[in-house]
Amino acid sequence: MYLVTLLSFLFFTGLVGLCTWWITRKDDHGSSTGYFLGGRSLTFPLIAGSLLLTNLSTEQMVGLNGAAFTDGLCVMVWEVVCVVALVFMAWFFLPRFLRSGVATVPQYLEIRFDHQTQVITNLIFLLAYVGILLPIILYTGATGMVGILDVPSMLGSLPESVGMEPGTLALWLIVWAVGLIGSVYALFGGLRTVAVSDTINGVGLLVGGFMITVFALAQLGGDGGISEGANLLVEQQRDRFNSVGGENSSVPFGTIFSGIFLLNLFYWTTNQQIIQRTFGASSLAEGQKGVLLTGALKLLGPLYLVIPGMLAYSLFAGDDIKADQAYGMLVNKVLPAPLTGFFAAAMIGAILSSFNSALNSSCTLFSLGLFKNVIKKDASEQAVVRSGKIFGWIVAVVAMSIAPLLANTTSIFGYLQKMNGMYFIPIFAVVLVGMLTKRVPPLAAKVALIAGFSVIAIGYFVHPFDIIVASLHEYHFLGIVFAWLLILMLVIGEIKPRETEFVQEDVGAVDMTAWRFAKPVGLLLIAIVFAIYTTMADFSVLMQ
């Protein structure tokens, strides 16, 4: 069984690598535009596929299903509400980014504010990606793979000879294997290679994700099959099939309108790791179609990112397992060996997708934001690309060294969202004010970035402020800090405004003709979100 699983895994992983190399073998990897933006040639299927799979990584598959194992359907907020953020991206944010012809969010802030704002934002992004995002991607990916492939059993007696627990050794081995493979994708191929491999893997992961749900329902239903499994699931967890989270859940209903919505907005409109592929769009229309197609696909997210976690609860609730182990155990238990190998390959694709996307974005931020703008302003195109590759290898090694140390974290998805808030909120506040106003000065942006990052970090980690934050719920705390930052920037803008109004110029990077169906399709997606929420809501939990 192990051999069949391993061989099918290696076959599908190798097939994706071969297809990606064949499609991108003639791409321009020598210039900064070709390497970091895919030559601004990405069409909507590649944009949507890459956006979806960059998001659909193991911190989602393992982490969100783990949250569903604990809290039930209410955690679908991370999938469903993000559709509204994607609509705003297509309507409001994307046109402004593309009109400026930028490759990074900090570059936009340099145009709107000044050079120092760009440098501060670059440093915050890089610290967050290296210290938070990349290690979490590797850790959650390795955790999922250990469960799916049952790696400790494959290792046999080897762990005893190296003086390490089987699970710990498996974790370290997979973290470094995935990190090295992902680094090769990101650092030798550039953005288009990442986007193509994402799209191929995306098909496999979506198919695999739905397969897990179907096989798990069939196993739960026994002789009654899938329909009986679905009936049993609803019957056993009727009180957990609720889109409204109670006060004791990780996502109380009120937090949807504060921190959760803000985190979704930043993630889909301003997070460099995610939106970089939209900067490589061949036109505004292609970018908008890609973003809105992603929104439509995200509506299906709960079927493979939440329901499997609830199925795992029905199957394993009495087994005393950690929430983040539930998804890997479910895959290993319900899939036949050849399909387990296929799904493991798709999971590796998801890990690689998020890892190499974050790594590519880190290289872009360093090369274009710091190396060319601060360290060596007269650097050639080749030197800029080379600096990104060297920096990328350093970052990859650091992330691979940190990742296994996260093993003691209780809920990796909750930890990720908490840590994200430190840089999501201040950067999003600055970008939003920059786009909505014309007189707010660079001073306001710099104060907001530094103050926002510092206040959230103090609120999370410094006693007695952490007690106050805990009493509010951390997502409400993020909403309060965001509102405070907006007010602070607007007040500074009134006291010391820019001497002249900011005027955004179209640099002619791409065709800026909007897709004519962008507004009606966006409105339809928002209507579907509200319909899903109201249909699945039981507000009586708020009275308890």
Side-chain angles (χ1 to χ4, degrees), residues 357-403:
S357 294
L359 194 58
N360 183 269
S361 294
S362 299
C363 297
T364 306
L365 289 163
F366 174 78
S367 298
L368 301 183
L370 296 180
F371 185 78
K372 188 171 177 61
N373 257 331
V374 179
I375 299 170
K376 193 173 182 181
K377 296 184 178 180
D378 61 344
S380 66
E381 289 280 284
Q382 289 76 15
V384 171
V385 172
R386 187 168 60 251
S387 74
K389 291 180 178 180
I390 295 170
F391 179 77
W393 280 112
I394 295 170
V395 166
V397 170
V398 171
M400 287 185 280
S401 301
I402 294 174

mmCIF file of all heavy atoms in Angstrom, residues 357-403:
data_model
loop_
_atom_site.group_PDB
_atom_site.id
_atom_site.type_symbol
_atom_site.label_atom_id
_atom_site.label_comp_id
_atom_site.label_asym_id
_atom_site.label_seq_id
_atom_site.Cartn_x
_atom_site.Cartn_y
_atom_site.Cartn_z
ATOM 1 N N SER A 357 4.946 31.286 -4.226
ATOM 2 C CA SER A 357 4.343 32.604 -4.451
ATOM 3 C C SER A 357 4.837 33.610 -3.415
ATOM 4 O O SER A 357 5.187 34.747 -3.739
ATOM 5 C CB SER A 357 2.817 32.513 -4.387
ATOM 6 O OG SER A 357 2.317 31.751 -5.449
ATOM 7 N N ALA A 358 4.853 33.186 -2.146
ATOM 8 C CA ALA A 358 5.351 34.069 -1.082
ATOM 9 C C ALA A 358 6.837 34.340 -1.272
ATOM 10 O O ALA A 358 7.308 35.468 -1.041
ATOM 11 C CB ALA A 358 5.088 33.444 0.285
ATOM 12 N N LEU A 359 7.586 33.319 -1.706
ATOM 13 C CA LEU A 359 9.019 33.496 -1.924
ATOM 14 C C LEU A 359 9.274 34.421 -3.109
ATOM 15 O O LEU A 359 10.139 35.310 -3.046
ATOM 16 C CB LEU A 359 9.666 32.127 -2.165
ATOM 17 C CG LEU A 359 11.197 32.066 -2.093
ATOM 18 C CD1 LEU A 359 11.690 32.543 -0.742
ATOM 19 C CD2 LEU A 359 11.671 30.635 -2.354
ATOM 20 N N ASN A 360 8.502 34.228 -4.197
ATOM 21 C CA ASN A 360 8.635 35.108 -5.354
ATOM 22 C C ASN A 360 8.300 36.550 -4.990
ATOM 23 O O ASN A 360 8.977 37.493 -5.407
ATOM 24 C CB ASN A 360 7.724 34.607 -6.481
ATOM 25 C CG ASN A 360 7.849 35.436 -7.752
ATOM 26 O OD1 ASN A 360 7.121 36.400 -7.936
ATOM 27 N ND2 ASN A 360 8.777 35.066 -8.620
ATOM 28 N N SER A 361 7.255 36.725 -4.168
ATOM 29 C CA SER A 361 6.883 38.074 -3.742
ATOM 30 C C SER A 361 7.958 38.686 -2.847
ATOM 31 O O SER A 361 8.247 39.881 -2.942
ATOM 32 C CB SER A 361 5.545 38.038 -2.986
ATOM 33 O OG SER A 361 4.499 37.662 -3.846
ATOM 34 N N SER A 362 8.562 37.876 -1.985
ATOM 35 C CA SER A 362 9.644 38.368 -1.125
ATOM 36 C C SER A 362 10.826 38.842 -1.978
ATOM 37 O O SER A 362 11.407 39.903 -1.714
ATOM 38 C CB SER A 362 10.113 37.267 -0.164
ATOM 39 O OG SER A 362 9.069 36.856 0.681
ATOM 40 N N CYS A 363 11.158 38.055 -3.007
ATOM 41 C CA CYS A 363 12.248 38.441 -3.912
ATOM 42 C C CYS A 363 11.917 39.736 -4.647
ATOM 43 O O CYS A 363 12.779 40.611 -4.827
ATOM 44 C CB CYS A 363 12.509 37.328 -4.926
ATOM 45 S SG CYS A 363 13.059 35.791 -4.189
ATOM 46 N N THR A 364 10.656 39.846 -5.086
ATOM 47 C CA THR A 364 10.218 41.049 -5.793
ATOM 48 C C THR A 364 10.322 42.270 -4.894
ATOM 49 O O THR A 364 10.829 43.332 -5.298
ATOM 50 C CB THR A 364 8.758 40.889 -6.274
ATOM 51 O OG1 THR A 364 8.646 39.691 -7.039
ATOM 52 C CG2 THR A 364 8.336 42.069 -7.137
ATOM 53 N N LEU A 365 9.832 42.135 -3.662
ATOM 54 C CA LEU A 365 9.885 43.245 -2.704
ATOM 55 C C LEU A 365 11.325 43.664 -2.424
ATOM 56 O O LEU A 365 11.639 44.859 -2.370
ATOM 57 C CB LEU A 365 9.198 42.837 -1.396
ATOM 58 C CG LEU A 365 7.678 42.705 -1.454
ATOM 59 C CD1 LEU A 365 7.169 41.914 -0.256
ATOM 60 C CD2 LEU A 365 7.011 44.075 -1.503
ATOM 61 N N PHE A 366 12.201 42.687 -2.257
ATOM 62 C CA PHE A 366 13.598 43.011 -1.965
ATOM 63 C C PHE A 366 14.288 43.629 -3.178
ATOM 64 O O PHE A 366 14.918 44.685 -3.075
ATOM 65 C CB PHE A 366 14.350 41.753 -1.525
ATOM 66 C CG PHE A 366 15.827 41.979 -1.346
ATOM 67 C CD1 PHE A 366 16.311 42.601 -0.207
ATOM 68 C CD2 PHE A 366 16.730 41.597 -2.336
ATOM 69 C CE1 PHE A 366 17.675 42.840 -0.051
ATOM 70 C CE2 PHE A 366 18.084 41.827 -2.194
ATOM 71 C CZ PHE A 366 18.558 42.453 -1.053
ATOM 72 N N SER A 367 14.166 42.966 -4.338
ATOM 73 C CA SER A 367 14.917 43.398 -5.519
ATOM 74 C C SER A 367 14.480 44.759 -6.033
ATOM 75 O O SER A 367 15.303 45.650 -6.254
ATOM 76 C CB SER A 367 14.772 42.357 -6.631
ATOM 77 O OG SER A 367 15.316 41.137 -6.218
ATOM 78 N N LEU A 368 13.156 44.912 -6.235
ATOM 79 C CA LEU A 368 12.651 46.159 -6.798
ATOM 80 C C LEU A 368 12.483 47.249 -5.743
ATOM 81 O O LEU A 368 12.596 48.441 -6.051
ATOM 82 C CB LEU A 368 11.316 45.905 -7.510
ATOM 83 C CG LEU A 368 11.345 44.896 -8.659
ATOM 84 C CD1 LEU A 368 9.978 44.804 -9.325
ATOM 85 C CD2 LEU A 368 12.408 45.255 -9.691
ATOM 86 N N GLY A 369 12.192 46.844 -4.492
ATOM 87 C CA GLY A 369 11.924 47.838 -3.455
ATOM 88 C C GLY A 369 13.143 48.287 -2.701
ATOM 89 O O GLY A 369 13.257 49.475 -2.359
ATOM 90 N N LEU A 370 14.080 47.359 -2.424
ATOM 91 C CA LEU A 370 15.240 47.720 -1.612
ATOM 92 C C LEU A 370 16.543 47.713 -2.415
ATOM 93 O O LEU A 370 17.301 48.685 -2.366
ATOM 94 C CB LEU A 370 15.360 46.755 -0.421
ATOM 95 C CG LEU A 370 14.199 46.789 0.591
ATOM 96 C CD1 LEU A 370 14.442 45.786 1.709
ATOM 97 C CD2 LEU A 370 14.016 48.191 1.167
ATOM 98 N N PHE A 371 16.818 46.635 -3.162
ATOM 99 C CA PHE A 371 18.094 46.557 -3.882
ATOM 100 C C PHE A 371 18.223 47.664 -4.926
ATOM 101 O O PHE A 371 19.205 48.405 -4.941
ATOM 102 C CB PHE A 371 18.229 45.184 -4.546
ATOM 103 C CG PHE A 371 19.564 44.970 -5.215
ATOM 104 C CD1 PHE A 371 20.679 44.653 -4.456
ATOM 105 C CD2 PHE A 371 19.702 45.092 -6.595
ATOM 106 C CE1 PHE A 371 21.925 44.461 -5.068
ATOM 107 C CE2 PHE A 371 20.930 44.904 -7.203
ATOM 108 C CZ PHE A 371 22.044 44.587 -6.443
ATOM 109 N N LYS A 372 17.211 47.792 -5.783
ATOM 110 C CA LYS A 372 17.297 48.785 -6.861
ATOM 111 C C LYS A 372 16.988 50.201 -6.388
ATOM 112 O O LYS A 372 17.487 51.179 -6.945
ATOM 113 C CB LYS A 372 16.332 48.408 -7.993
ATOM 114 C CG LYS A 372 16.499 49.270 -9.255
ATOM 115 C CD LYS A 372 15.699 48.722 -10.397
ATOM 116 C CE LYS A 372 15.812 49.608 -11.631
ATOM 117 N NZ LYS A 372 17.197 49.713 -12.124
ATOM 118 N N ASN A 373 16.210 50.320 -5.336
ATOM 119 C CA ASN A 373 15.792 51.641 -4.874
ATOM 120 C C ASN A 373 16.668 52.216 -3.775
ATOM 121 O O ASN A 373 16.701 53.423 -3.574
ATOM 122 C CB ASN A 373 14.345 51.585 -4.361
ATOM 123 C CG ASN A 373 13.373 52.179 -5.365
ATOM 124 O OD1 ASN A 373 13.738 53.049 -6.128
ATOM 125 N ND2 ASN A 373 12.146 51.683 -5.356
ATOM 126 N N VAL A 374 17.343 51.338 -3.018
ATOM 127 C CA VAL A 374 18.111 51.809 -1.862
ATOM 128 C C VAL A 374 19.579 51.390 -1.934
ATOM 129 O O VAL A 374 20.479 52.217 -1.819
ATOM 130 C CB VAL A 374 17.486 51.268 -0.539
ATOM 131 C CG1 VAL A 374 18.297 51.723 0.669
ATOM 132 C CG2 VAL A 374 16.044 51.715 -0.410
ATOM 133 N N ILE A 375 19.814 50.085 -2.155
ATOM 134 C CA ILE A 375 21.183 49.553 -2.051
ATOM 135 C C ILE A 375 22.023 49.907 -3.278
ATOM 136 O O ILE A 375 23.161 50.385 -3.152
ATOM 137 C CB ILE A 375 21.138 48.025 -1.853
ATOM 138 C CG1 ILE A 375 20.392 47.687 -0.547
ATOM 139 C CG2 ILE A 375 22.550 47.440 -1.824
ATOM 140 C CD1 ILE A 375 20.084 46.212 -0.360
ATOM 141 N N LYS A 376 21.493 49.673 -4.487
ATOM 142 C CA LYS A 376 22.265 49.921 -5.711
ATOM 143 C C LYS A 376 21.329 50.463 -6.794
ATOM 144 O O LYS A 376 20.770 49.707 -7.578
ATOM 145 C CB LYS A 376 22.943 48.631 -6.180
ATOM 146 C CG LYS A 376 24.009 48.859 -7.250
ATOM 147 C CD LYS A 376 24.777 47.577 -7.549
ATOM 148 C CE LYS A 376 25.872 47.845 -8.585
ATOM 149 N NZ LYS A 376 26.640 46.612 -8.919
ATOM 150 N N LYS A 377 21.185 51.771 -6.809
ATOM 151 C CA LYS A 377 20.195 52.395 -7.691
ATOM 152 C C LYS A 377 20.539 52.267 -9.170
ATOM 153 O O LYS A 377 19.664 52.395 -10.028
ATOM 154 C CB LYS A 377 20.022 53.866 -7.319
ATOM 155 C CG LYS A 377 19.444 54.062 -5.918
ATOM 156 C CD LYS A 377 19.192 55.521 -5.614
ATOM 157 C CE LYS A 377 18.573 55.679 -4.223
ATOM 158 N NZ LYS A 377 18.304 57.096 -3.885
ATOM 159 N N ASP A 378 21.814 52.051 -9.502
ATOM 160 C CA ASP A 378 22.216 51.932 -10.909
ATOM 161 C C ASP A 378 22.364 50.476 -11.359
ATOM 162 O O ASP A 378 22.985 50.181 -12.377
ATOM 163 C CB ASP A 378 23.528 52.675 -11.142
ATOM 164 C CG ASP A 378 24.676 52.103 -10.307
ATOM 165 O OD1 ASP A 378 24.379 51.354 -9.349
ATOM 166 O OD2 ASP A 378 25.853 52.405 -10.610
ATOM 167 N N ALA A 379 21.757 49.551 -10.612
ATOM 168 C CA ALA A 379 21.891 48.124 -10.922
ATOM 169 C C ALA A 379 21.260 47.788 -12.269
ATOM 170 O O ALA A 379 20.217 48.336 -12.644
ATOM 171 C CB ALA A 379 21.237 47.293 -9.819
ATOM 172 N N SER A 380 21.894 46.866 -12.995
ATOM 173 C CA SER A 380 21.346 46.408 -14.278
ATOM 174 C C SER A 380 20.180 45.463 -14.037
ATOM 175 O O SER A 380 19.964 44.989 -12.921
ATOM 176 C CB SER A 380 22.436 45.681 -15.068
ATOM 177 O OG SER A 380 22.809 44.481 -14.391
ATOM 178 N N GLU A 381 19.424 45.163 -15.099
ATOM 179 C CA GLU A 381 18.300 44.229 -15.000
ATOM 180 C C GLU A 381 18.766 42.870 -14.493
ATOM 181 O O GLU A 381 18.134 42.254 -13.631
ATOM 182 C CB GLU A 381 17.641 44.066 -16.374
ATOM 183 C CG GLU A 381 16.871 45.284 -16.858
ATOM 184 C CD GLU A 381 15.504 45.373 -16.216
ATOM 185 O OE1 GLU A 381 14.605 44.624 -16.620
ATOM 186 O OE2 GLU A 381 15.358 46.185 -15.285
ATOM 187 N N GLN A 382 19.899 42.406 -15.026
ATOM 188 C CA GLN A 382 20.411 41.096 -14.620
ATOM 189 C C GLN A 382 20.814 41.092 -13.146
ATOM 190 O O GLN A 382 20.589 40.119 -12.421
ATOM 191 C CB GLN A 382 21.614 40.702 -15.490
ATOM 192 C CG GLN A 382 21.273 40.360 -16.927
ATOM 193 C CD GLN A 382 20.986 41.600 -17.782
ATOM 194 O OE1 GLN A 382 21.307 42.736 -17.390
ATOM 195 N NE2 GLN A 382 20.366 41.380 -18.941
ATOM 196 N N ALA A 383 21.392 42.203 -12.689
ATOM 197 C CA ALA A 383 21.812 42.289 -11.291
ATOM 198 C C ALA A 383 20.607 42.303 -10.353
ATOM 199 O O ALA A 383 20.639 41.712 -9.265
ATOM 200 C CB ALA A 383 22.658 43.550 -11.078
ATOM 201 N N VAL A 384 19.538 42.961 -10.789
ATOM 202 C CA VAL A 384 18.318 43.015 -9.977
ATOM 203 C C VAL A 384 17.730 41.613 -9.822
ATOM 204 O O VAL A 384 17.372 41.187 -8.714
ATOM 205 C CB VAL A 384 17.276 43.971 -10.609
ATOM 206 C CG1 VAL A 384 15.936 43.868 -9.890
ATOM 207 C CG2 VAL A 384 17.776 45.409 -10.551
ATOM 208 N N VAL A 385 17.626 40.897 -10.938
ATOM 209 C CA VAL A 385 17.082 39.529 -10.888
ATOM 210 C C VAL A 385 17.985 38.628 -10.049
ATOM 211 O O VAL A 385 17.505 37.840 -9.221
ATOM 212 C CB VAL A 385 16.910 38.960 -12.311
ATOM 213 C CG1 VAL A 385 16.525 37.486 -12.254
ATOM 214 C CG2 VAL A 385 15.854 39.752 -13.076
ATOM 215 N N ARG A 386 19.296 38.763 -10.229
ATOM 216 C CA ARG A 386 20.240 37.929 -9.475
ATOM 217 C C ARG A 386 20.143 38.205 -7.970
ATOM 218 O O ARG A 386 20.192 37.281 -7.150
ATOM 219 C CB ARG A 386 21.669 38.180 -9.962
ATOM 220 C CG ARG A 386 22.698 37.228 -9.337
ATOM 221 C CD ARG A 386 24.041 37.299 -10.049
ATOM 222 N NE ARG A 386 24.629 38.631 -10.000
ATOM 223 C CZ ARG A 386 24.725 39.451 -11.055
ATOM 224 N NH1 ARG A 386 24.264 39.069 -12.234
ATOM 225 N NH2 ARG A 386 25.265 40.645 -10.925
ATOM 226 N N SER A 387 19.966 39.464 -7.589
ATOM 227 C CA SER A 387 19.847 39.813 -6.167
ATOM 228 C C SER A 387 18.616 39.150 -5.558
ATOM 229 O O SER A 387 18.637 38.699 -4.404
ATOM 230 C CB SER A 387 19.767 41.332 -5.989
ATOM 231 O OG SER A 387 18.498 41.831 -6.394
ATOM 232 N N GLY A 388 17.537 39.091 -6.351
ATOM 233 C CA GLY A 388 16.316 38.451 -5.872
ATOM 234 C C GLY A 388 16.509 36.965 -5.629
ATOM 235 O O GLY A 388 16.022 36.416 -4.641
ATOM 236 N N LYS A 389 17.249 36.308 -6.527
ATOM 237 C CA LYS A 389 17.477 34.873 -6.378
ATOM 238 C C LYS A 389 18.343 34.574 -5.151
ATOM 239 O O LYS A 389 18.064 33.640 -4.388
ATOM 240 C CB LYS A 389 18.131 34.314 -7.645
ATOM 241 C CG LYS A 389 17.208 34.317 -8.858
ATOM 242 C CD LYS A 389 17.897 33.763 -10.097
ATOM 243 C CE LYS A 389 16.938 33.735 -11.289
ATOM 244 N NZ LYS A 389 17.568 33.203 -12.513
ATOM 245 N N ILE A 390 19.386 35.369 -4.938
ATOM 246 C CA ILE A 390 20.249 35.164 -3.770
ATOM 247 C C ILE A 390 19.473 35.397 -2.481
ATOM 248 O O ILE A 390 19.534 34.592 -1.538
ATOM 249 C CB ILE A 390 21.480 36.108 -3.840
ATOM 250 C CG1 ILE A 390 22.361 35.739 -5.035
ATOM 251 C CG2 ILE A 390 22.274 36.049 -2.533
ATOM 252 C CD1 ILE A 390 23.459 36.741 -5.329
ATOM 253 N N PHE A 391 18.716 36.498 -2.456
ATOM 254 C CA PHE A 391 17.907 36.802 -1.276
ATOM 255 C C PHE A 391 16.881 35.689 -1.035
ATOM 256 O O PHE A 391 16.633 35.291 0.108
ATOM 257 C CB PHE A 391 17.194 38.144 -1.475
ATOM 258 C CG PHE A 391 16.307 38.538 -0.323
ATOM 259 C CD1 PHE A 391 16.846 39.036 0.847
ATOM 260 C CD2 PHE A 391 14.929 38.407 -0.408
ATOM 261 C CE1 PHE A 391 16.032 39.405 1.915
ATOM 262 C CE2 PHE A 391 14.101 38.757 0.654
ATOM 263 C CZ PHE A 391 14.668 39.260 1.818
ATOM 264 N N GLY A 392 16.303 35.175 -2.108
ATOM 265 C CA GLY A 392 15.307 34.116 -1.992
ATOM 266 C C GLY A 392 15.850 32.862 -1.338
ATOM 267 O O GLY A 392 15.180 32.243 -0.509
ATOM 268 N N TRP A 393 17.077 32.475 -1.712
ATOM 269 C CA TRP A 393 17.675 31.283 -1.093
ATOM 270 C C TRP A 393 17.926 31.494 0.396
ATOM 271 O O TRP A 393 17.715 30.588 1.205
ATOM 272 C CB TRP A 393 18.979 30.909 -1.798
ATOM 273 C CG TRP A 393 18.747 30.153 -3.073
ATOM 274 C CD1 TRP A 393 18.998 30.576 -4.345
ATOM 275 C CD2 TRP A 393 18.199 28.840 -3.201
ATOM 276 N NE1 TRP A 393 18.633 29.614 -5.261
ATOM 277 C CE2 TRP A 393 18.147 28.539 -4.582
ATOM 278 C CE3 TRP A 393 17.736 27.892 -2.284
ATOM 279 C CZ2 TRP A 393 17.652 27.331 -5.063
ATOM 280 C CZ3 TRP A 393 17.245 26.681 -2.761
ATOM 281 C CH2 TRP A 393 17.214 26.408 -4.136
ATOM 282 N N ILE A 394 18.348 32.705 0.767
ATOM 283 C CA ILE A 394 18.571 33.005 2.193
ATOM 284 C C ILE A 394 17.255 32.907 2.957
ATOM 285 O O ILE A 394 17.160 32.283 4.016
ATOM 286 C CB ILE A 394 19.184 34.418 2.353
ATOM 287 C CG1 ILE A 394 20.580 34.463 1.728
ATOM 288 C CG2 ILE A 394 19.240 34.811 3.831
ATOM 289 C CD1 ILE A 394 21.175 35.854 1.628
ATOM 290 N N VAL A 395 16.202 33.525 2.399
ATOM 291 C CA VAL A 395 14.884 33.508 3.036
ATOM 292 C C VAL A 395 14.358 32.078 3.156
ATOM 293 O O VAL A 395 13.802 31.685 4.192
ATOM 294 C CB VAL A 395 13.892 34.371 2.215
ATOM 295 C CG1 VAL A 395 12.449 34.112 2.646
ATOM 296 C CG2 VAL A 395 14.232 35.849 2.372
ATOM 297 N N ALA A 396 14.539 31.282 2.111
ATOM 298 C CA ALA A 396 14.039 29.899 2.115
ATOM 299 C C ALA A 396 14.692 29.083 3.227
ATOM 300 O O ALA A 396 14.015 28.333 3.947
ATOM 301 C CB ALA A 396 14.297 29.248 0.758
ATOM 302 N N VAL A 397 15.993 29.226 3.390
ATOM 303 C CA VAL A 397 16.705 28.469 4.424
ATOM 304 C C VAL A 397 16.229 28.886 5.816
ATOM 305 O O VAL A 397 16.011 28.042 6.698
ATOM 306 C CB VAL A 397 18.231 28.671 4.287
ATOM 307 C CG1 VAL A 397 18.960 28.103 5.502
ATOM 308 C CG2 VAL A 397 18.742 28.007 3.012
ATOM 309 N N VAL A 398 16.035 30.191 6.023
ATOM 310 C CA VAL A 398 15.537 30.678 7.318
ATOM 311 C C VAL A 398 14.147 30.103 7.603
ATOM 312 O O VAL A 398 13.864 29.614 8.701
ATOM 313 C CB VAL A 398 15.487 32.226 7.342
ATOM 314 C CG1 VAL A 398 14.770 32.735 8.590
ATOM 315 C CG2 VAL A 398 16.893 32.801 7.288
ATOM 316 N N ALA A 399 13.253 30.154 6.592
ATOM 317 C CA ALA A 399 11.884 29.645 6.771
ATOM 318 C C ALA A 399 11.882 28.152 7.055
ATOM 319 O O ALA A 399 11.128 27.667 7.909
ATOM 320 C CB ALA A 399 11.047 29.952 5.527
ATOM 321 N N MET A 400 12.728 27.399 6.348
ATOM 322 C CA MET A 400 12.791 25.946 6.562
ATOM 323 C C MET A 400 13.317 25.606 7.957
ATOM 324 O O MET A 400 12.984 24.566 8.526
ATOM 325 C CB MET A 400 13.660 25.286 5.485
ATOM 326 C CG MET A 400 13.006 25.234 4.113
ATOM 327 S SD MET A 400 13.985 24.338 2.882
ATOM 328 C CE MET A 400 15.205 25.557 2.411
ATOM 329 N N SER A 401 14.139 26.480 8.503
ATOM 330 C CA SER A 401 14.678 26.253 9.847
ATOM 331 C C SER A 401 13.660 26.576 10.936
ATOM 332 O O SER A 401 13.648 25.943 11.993
ATOM 333 C CB SER A 401 15.944 27.103 10.050
ATOM 334 O OG SER A 401 16.920 26.786 9.083
ATOM 335 N N ILE A 402 12.793 27.568 10.678
ATOM 336 C CA ILE A 402 11.807 27.992 11.682
ATOM 337 C C ILE A 402 10.588 27.075 11.692
ATOM 338 O O ILE A 402 10.030 26.777 12.751
ATOM 339 C CB ILE A 402 11.355 29.447 11.399
ATOM 340 C CG1 ILE A 402 12.526 30.430 11.610
ATOM 341 C CG2 ILE A 402 10.175 29.854 12.295
ATOM 342 C CD1 ILE A 402 12.191 31.856 11.203
ATOM 343 N N ALA A 403 10.154 26.608 10.506
ATOM 344 C CA ALA A 403 8.866 25.917 10.352
ATOM 345 C C ALA A 403 8.620 24.781 11.353
ATOM 346 O O ALA A 403 7.557 24.737 11.988
ATOM 347 C CB ALA A 403 8.715 25.402 8.920
#
